[in-house]
Amino acid sequence: GESVGLHLPTLSVQEGDNSIINCAYSNSASDYFIWYKQESGKGPQFIIDIRSNMDKRQGQRVTVLLNKTVKHLSLQIAATQPGDSAVYFCAEGESNKLTFGGGTRVLVKP
Amino acid sequence: EAGVAQSPRYKIIEKRQSVAFWCNPISGHATLYWYQQILGQGPKLLIQFQNNGVVDDSQLPKDRFSAERLKGVDSTLKIQPAKLEDSAVYLCASSFRLGGSTDTQYFGPGTRLTVL
């Protein structure tokens, strides 16, 4: 999604539910996509990545989906936990360089 | 495996002063990146090194920012003189590969700079 400065898009989710975070990218030549999680006061932490020759990749409790036709990327988190509360960034990559989106804040309600 | 190290973690300076940040990448990682992250936004690339050579510094404000990576390992980023709009978190990241296809970047904890 686009950056809105201090007012990040926020996703509120009940603990135990699944979360879906969406991201639109702009560069048709991007061949690599990655999701990061950033907690307050910390650097971005790698979650999962996917190359452009794939449309789905699964990790532990996370799945990334890539739709190149509409230039859309999504991150699905299964059974969301309080520790998943953070800001999530998508990034697109080309020639070993990343361009980041604006981020989505995920708040997990107990 | 040790992650990317950065210091200091916090720095407060007055405008027109100078400041320097240090980064030690993950051992064996050839590519090092400096990013600027303004509050509420995604990181923005400032400069990319492969070993000790600059690959991309197109978004580095070269009138006040400089960076070096002597010996292809540690790197320093300097701002001189600082402006109010330089208040941000400065992130260092590293990746294993030299070039070609994009590789996973691993980030350090960042240095939060406040310019008064």
Side-chain angles (χ1 to χ4, degrees):
Chain A
E2 288 205 319
S3 171
V4 287
L6 287 173
H7 304 287
L8 285 171
T10 299
L11 174 69
S12 291
V13 60
Q14 201 70 39
E15 181 178 356
D17 287 352
N18 297 334
S19 304
I20 299 176
I21 307 165
N22 296 302
C23 177
Y25 66 92
S26 57
N27 184 2
S28 300
S30 293
D31 58 4
Y32 176 82
F33 304 87
I34 188 168
W35 282 97
Y36 286 96
K37 171 187 179 183
Q38 189 171 27
E39 296 173 282
S40 182
K42 297 185 178 180
Q45 176 189 354
F46 168 77
I47 301 174
I48 191 167
D49 57 4
I50 188 169
R51 297 208 176 267
S52 58
N53 60 352
M54 302 172 68
D55 52 22
K56 181 179 180 178
R57 191 169 187 218
Q58 289 185 288
Q60 188 176 12
R61 280 200 311 119
V62 293
T63 300
V64 55
L65 299 176
L66 175 62
N67 185 331
K68 293 181 288 294
T69 303
V70 295
K71 296 211 249 337
H72 184 268
L73 190 69
S74 68
L75 176 70
Q76 299 177 2
I77 305 174
T80 311
Q81 302 169 358
D84 295 326
S85 292
V87 177
Y88 290 78
F89 290 98
C90 67
E92 55 182 308
E94 183 189 9
S95 302
N96 217 15
K97 196 183 309 183
L98 293 179
T99 301
F100 282 79
T104 297
R105 186 183 306 280
V106 172
L107 292 174
V108 181
K109 296 178 286 185
Chain B
E1 172 180 87
V4 176
Q6 289 188 247
S7 68
R9 292 296 316 276
Y10 305 92
K11 191 74 178 178
I12 300 174
I13 61 173
E14 296 193 348
K15 60 183 179 183
R16 292 188 289 273
Q17 286 187 322
S18 62
V19 64
F21 313 125
W22 174 83
C23 172
N24 180 243
I26 293 172
S27 178
H29 279 197
T31 305
L32 184 147
Y33 311 79
W34 283 102
Y35 288 86
Q36 180 192 59
Q37 186 176 26
I38 292 172
L39 185 64
Q41 299 182 15
K44 184 186 86 171
L45 179 68
L46 292 175
I47 189 167
Q48 176 183 353
F49 292 93
Q50 283 183 3
N51 293 324
N52 60 349
V54 175
V55 173
D56 183 357
D57 62 357
S58 57
Q59 298 204 75
L60 188 74
K62 298 181 190 62
D63 57 333
R64 299 183 301 106
F65 285 64
S66 64
E68 60 182 10
R69 191 185 183 199
L70 300 176
K71 301 179 183 178
V73 181
D74 293 5
S75 177
T76 56
L77 175 70
K78 296 178 182 177
I79 308 175
Q80 182 180 13
K83 292 185 175 181
L84 296 177
E85 59 260 36
D86 298 332
S87 293
V89 175
Y90 290 86
L91 294 162
C92 179
S94 69
S95 66
F96 179 71
R97 270 185 227 143
L98 270 175
S101 61
T102 307
D103 196 13
T104 305
Q105 294 182 24
Y106 296 92
F107 283 81
T111 297
R112 180 176 296 279
L113 174 67
T114 302
V115 182
L116 302 175

